[in-house]
């Protein structure tokens, strides 16, 4: 019996990616250079170097393993994540250099490029198992381009600092991913629904990704703050928000089950919601109880959405969110943005800031949906070959070699 899987990506993946990589090498050769200033390199490596390492661990290990909970999609989840990260960082460094007219590579620029590249790593959770690697290359380039351009526009016209613009990455990535997913999924057939389930072993790896994100999230939320007191407060508030959302998620999971058993899906998603929500306002929260309340609210909200939203998205909105991007990153990010607006006005007593901050929050929502919609249309073109049919969604064998298995398995 012949294989029911789609044709190989051999005809398009090497051509596209190697051509792109050669183009990157040429641009780096003629336009980019390393920072050779006489600054205290030891101090820089002690601050930016450590934060850069933390952010890279979050991107490569945290987000990579977080999406590995699918029954037969573990290899693609981790490896595709690394591929997109490696590609996205190169493109973001070049793009930011051209946008800011500064073609010098510094630790700070590498750090910001890694953080920007986390946007497609978040978005891919909504479409994972339904697209091939060539489509993910296009999605990564499109999303990083729009996100970095949006950050520059917000900084120039809305006068928002880099920190705030970067913390809205969760809102932008969730809107982008869900809008792209709308193009690929109608209500899933029974065969695909079966594979869209968690197995015991992959769920354990997904929990490992959650742990990496949980540990290093304070570094992410404080990475772009220049003031040491602000950075310290951001670390404290992020930790307390994460702690409370963790306790809330596990408790609600036991409460929701008739026999009081804990569901791993609650832990994968809801325990991180506190870190997302506290991101933008973390330096403005001057008391731990506020961060703890945010953690409690997002833990409650994300836990309830984990139970109800997947079915609602699939059958009512015709959007299948593979890994729960909407309620893990999107809605907590919006709550954090609203909290940031309230606290900014409270601390400054300047009511004009409401409009500026509201615009800074609305921009990633709008740009995420518009650019995601256009990217979804682009990814549906037949030029991207080897797209898995709906019946073969969520299966590694569509793209990976399994020598021990029969051809038609």
């Amino acid at each position: 019996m012949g294989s029911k899987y789609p044709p190989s990506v051999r005809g398009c993946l090497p051509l596209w990616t190697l051509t792109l990589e050669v183009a990157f090498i040429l641009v780096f050769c003629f336009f980019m250079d390393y920072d050779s200033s006489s600054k205290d390199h030891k101090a820089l490596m002690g601050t930016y170097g450590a934060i850069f390492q933390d952010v890279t661990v979050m991107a490569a290990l945290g987000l990579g393993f977080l999406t590995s909970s699918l029954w037969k999609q573990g290899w693609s989840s981790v490896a595709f994540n690394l591929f997109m990260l490696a590609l996205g960082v190169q493109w973001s460094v070049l793009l930011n250099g051209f946008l800011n007219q500064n073609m010098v590579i510094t630790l700070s620029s590498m750090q910001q490029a890694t953080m920007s590249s986390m946007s497609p790593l978040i978005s891919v959770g909504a479409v994972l198992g339904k697209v091939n690697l060539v489509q993910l290359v296009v999605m990564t380039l499109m999303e990083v381009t729009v996100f970095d351009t949006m950050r520059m526009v917000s900084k120039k016209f809305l006068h928002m600092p880099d920190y705030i613009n970067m913390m809205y990455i969760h809102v932008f990535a969730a809107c982008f991913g869900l809008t792209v997913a709308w193009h690929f999924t109608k209500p899933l057939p029974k065969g695909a629904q079966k594979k869209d389930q968690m197995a015991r072993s992959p769920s354990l790896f997904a929990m490992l990704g959650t742990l990496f994100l949980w540990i290093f999230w304070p570094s992410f939320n404080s990475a772009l703050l220049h003031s040491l007191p602000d950075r310290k407060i951001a670390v404290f508030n992020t930790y307390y928000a994460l702690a409370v959302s963790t306790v809330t998620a596990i408790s609600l999971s036991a409460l929701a089950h008739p026999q009081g058993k804990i569901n791993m899906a609650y832990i994968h998603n809801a325990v991180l919601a506190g870190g997302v929500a506290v991101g933008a306002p973390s330096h403005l929260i001057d008391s731990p109880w506020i961060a703890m309340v945010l953690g409690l609210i997002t833990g409650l909200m994300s836990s309830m959405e984990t139970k109800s939203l997947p079915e609602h998205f699939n059958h009512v909105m015709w959007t299948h969110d593979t890994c729960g991007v909407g309620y893990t990153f999107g809605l907590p990010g919006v709550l954090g943005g609203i909290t940031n607006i309230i606290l900014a006005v409270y601390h400054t007593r300047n009511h004009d800031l409401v409009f500026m901050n509201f615009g800074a929050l609305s921009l990633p929502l709008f740009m995420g949906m518009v650019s995601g919609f256009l990217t979804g249309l682009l990814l549906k073109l037949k030029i991207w070959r080897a797209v898995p049919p709906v019946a073969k969604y969520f299966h590694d064998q569509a793209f990976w070699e399994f020598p021990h298995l029969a051809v038609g398995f």
Side-chain angles (χ1 to χ4, degrees):
M1 182 176 66
S3 175
K4 297 179 181 178
Y5 287 92
S8 169
V9 295
R10 182 182 181 185
C12 51
L13 179 62
L15 174 65
W16 284 95
T17 55
L18 292 180
T19 302
L20 185 63
E21 195 58 52
V22 170
F24 282 168
I25 291 173
L26 292 174
V27 175
F28 271 96
C29 175
F30 290 107
F31 295 100
M32 303 297 293
D33 201 0
Y34 289 129
D35 180 20
S36 58
S37 62
S38 58
K39 295 179 181 178
D40 187 352
H41 297 287
K42 185 177 180 180
L44 285 175
M45 286 301 297
T47 53
Y48 286 114
I51 295 174
F52 173 66
Q53 184 179 23
D54 292 350
V55 172
T56 303
V57 170
M58 284 185 68
L61 294 178
L63 291 173
F65 281 114
L66 182 68
T67 56
S68 66
S69 60
L70 292 176
W71 189 28
K72 295 184 178 181
Q73 188 76 16
W75 290 17
S76 299
S77 302
V78 178
F80 287 4
N81 179 87
L82 180 60
F83 185 91
M84 294 170 65
L85 174 64
L87 182 71
V89 170
Q90 296 175 72
W91 175 232
S92 183
V93 168
L94 289 176
L95 183 63
N96 280 307
F98 284 112
L99 290 176
N100 298 318
Q101 298 182 348
N102 181 11
M103 308 303 291
V104 177
I105 301 174
T106 64
L107 273 173
S108 176
S109 67
M110 286 289 294
Q111 173 189 305
Q112 292 196 43
T114 304
M115 296 174 76
S116 293
S117 300
M118 291 174 70
S119 180
L121 305 188
I122 294 171
S123 298
V124 75
V127 297
L128 191 64
K130 295 166 282 192
V131 293
N132 64 40
L133 192 52
V134 183
Q135 290 171 303
L136 292 180
V137 169
V138 178
M139 179 175 165
T140 299
L141 296 177
M142 292 287 292
E143 186 165 359
V144 171
T145 301
V146 175
F147 181 68
D148 281 340
T149 305
M150 184 199 70
R151 286 175 51 218
M152 186 200 68
V153 170
S154 181
K155 182 178 180 179
K156 183 175 181 179
F157 296 102
L158 299 178
H159 308 292
M160 289 291 111
D162 285 331
Y163 169 77
I164 296 297
N165 296 327
M166 185 64 76
M167 288 302 104
Y168 287 147
I169 186 174
H170 312 293
V171 177
F172 173 83
C175 291
F176 188 98
L178 289 173
T179 313
V180 172
W182 181 82
H183 289 276
F184 287 92
T185 50
K186 306 308 177 185
L188 294 179
K190 292 182 179 180
Q193 286 179 355
K194 181 180 178 182
K195 280 178 283 189
D196 181 29
Q197 302 294 329
M198 290 187 302
R200 183 174 181 180
S201 177
S203 290
L204 188 59
F205 282 112
M207 188 62 202
L208 181 64
T210 300
L211 292 176
F212 277 118
L213 292 172
W214 202 96
I215 292 169
F216 292 108
W217 211 293
S219 295
F220 180 85
N221 281 357
S222 61
L224 298 185
L225 290 170
H226 299 292
S227 167
L228 289 179
D230 285 349
R231 188 175 294 178
K232 180 179 69 174
I233 292 174
V235 169
F236 290 160
N237 287 324
T238 304
Y239 179 82
Y240 280 113
L242 284 168
V244 175
S245 64
T246 301
V247 174
T248 304
I250 295 176
S251 302
L252 276 186
S253 178
L255 179 64
H257 195 276
Q259 298 177 351
K261 295 183 178 181
I262 299 172
N263 188 334
M264 188 66 84
Y266 284 76
I267 302 176
H268 290 163
N269 299 297
V271 300
L272 300 173
V276 175
V278 82
S282 61
H283 65 299
L284 298 175
I285 299 174
D286 52 12
S287 181
W289 72 267
I290 300 176
M292 296 170 77
V293 169
L294 271 180
L296 177 66
I297 294 173
T298 52
L300 290 168
M301 183 171 63
S302 187
S303 295
M304 291 185 290
E305 290 160 357
T306 301
K307 186 175 180 63
S308 60
L309 272 192
E311 184 176 353
H312 177 76
F313 269 17
N314 192 24
H315 294 287
V316 179
M317 300 180 65
W318 283 21
T319 301
H320 178 261
D321 185 1
T322 305
C323 298
V325 169
Y327 46 82
T328 303
F329 298 97
L331 293 176
V334 172
L335 177 62
I338 295 173
T339 305
N340 179 67
I341 295 173
I342 296 172
L343 291 177
V345 174
Y346 173 78
H347 284 290
T348 62
R349 307 296 180 182
N350 183 3
H351 295 282
D352 293 336
L353 285 177
V354 173
F355 302 102
M356 303 296 289
N357 280 275
F358 182 77
L361 175 60
S362 302
L363 186 61
L365 282 166
F366 175 76
M367 290 301 297
M369 288 187 286
V370 172
S371 59
F373 181 81
L374 295 177
T375 302
L377 289 176
L378 178 62
L379 298 185
K380 289 287 286 184
L381 296 178
K382 294 182 179 181
I383 187 175
W384 320 115
R385 287 171 287 178
V387 180
V390 176
K392 298 301 178 183
Y393 277 178
F394 317 119
H395 205 307
D396 276 333
Q397 199 180 355
F399 306 111
W400 292 89
E401 180 182 3
F402 290 86
H404 61 288
L405 295 180
V407 174
F409 175 76

